[in-house]
Amino acid sequence: MKVIGYTTGVYDLFHIGHLNVLKRAKLECDYLIVGVTTDELSESRKGKRPIIPFTERMEIVEHVKFVDEVVPQTNMNKFEAWNNLKFDKMFVGDDWKGSEKWNQLERQFGEVGVEIVYFPYTSHTSSTKLREVLEKL
């Protein structure tokens, strides 16, 4: 049986942390689908627009060899995404582990046989840190 994996992100200022997550996710599944957050969703959630436009971020992620399919992430409803994509595993950063929202999602996804896999966050680099450096230039 082919195992389908799913993860999402903004993937702004694409860096080694992003690559590591996609590489690790691909090791855990046969087919990896990546949701790239739209500019609008990113702005509504984080209060700022990504530096790299959505279509370019989609194209960058599409060309990562570990990624099999790229889809837009237009909202935060993970269950709606599952209804559309029918993945078997969902990969998220371990900074969410144990939160009320993700405990609830684990229960909900457990009922349909989806495993949530937490990956460690790459602490030495992030788009936020890169953005701060760029703003100082």
Side-chain angles (χ1 to χ4, degrees):
M1 189 190 99
K2 184 164 92 164
V3 176
I4 299 170
Y6 178 66
T7 192
T8 64
V10 179
Y11 303 103
D12 196 20
L13 303 174
F14 196 91
H15 56 74
I16 194 70
H18 295 136
L19 194 63
N20 288 342
V21 165
L22 297 175
K23 189 188 301 184
R24 291 199 51 188
K26 183 60 177 183
L27 291 172
E28 302 246 356
C29 64
D30 303 304
Y31 188 84
L32 180 60
I33 303 170
V34 179
V36 176
T37 306
T38 61
D39 290 342
E40 294 74 21
L41 180 60
S42 182
E43 198 165 14
S44 71
R45 288 195 62 238
K46 298 184 176 189
K48 57 186 185 236
R49 246 182 139 63
I51 292 172
I52 309 297
F54 173 70
T55 53
E56 293 179 22
R57 292 183 286 112
M58 287 271 294
E59 191 170 341
I60 289 165
V61 175
E62 249 167 37
H63 285 85
V64 173
K65 71 178 179 181
F66 313 112
V67 175
D68 296 295
E69 185 179 337
V70 177
V71 296
Q73 179 181 231
T74 57
N75 65 51
M76 297 307 294
N77 188 331
K78 304 296 186 195
F79 220 75
E80 184 183 300
W82 177 78
N83 272 321
N84 293 331
L85 304 167
K86 295 296 190 238
F87 47 83
D88 307 295
K89 289 184 176 188
M90 181 164 49
F91 308 104
V92 297
D94 65 2
D95 44 332
W96 295 107
K97 192 175 177 68
S99 69
E100 190 45 51
K101 178 189 173 186
W102 283 92
N103 287 342
Q104 190 181 337
L105 279 170
E106 279 183 42
R107 288 190 293 275
Q108 194 180 13
F109 276 115
E111 291 171 16
V112 293
V114 172
E115 180 188 356
I116 295 179
V117 181
Y118 294 94
F119 286 150
Y121 190 72
T122 307
S123 57
H124 70 276
T125 187
S126 72
S127 296
T128 302
K129 287 182 181 176
L130 290 171
R131 182 187 281 263
E132 286 166 5
V133 170
L134 287 172
E135 283 170 358
K136 287 177 186 159
L137 295 178

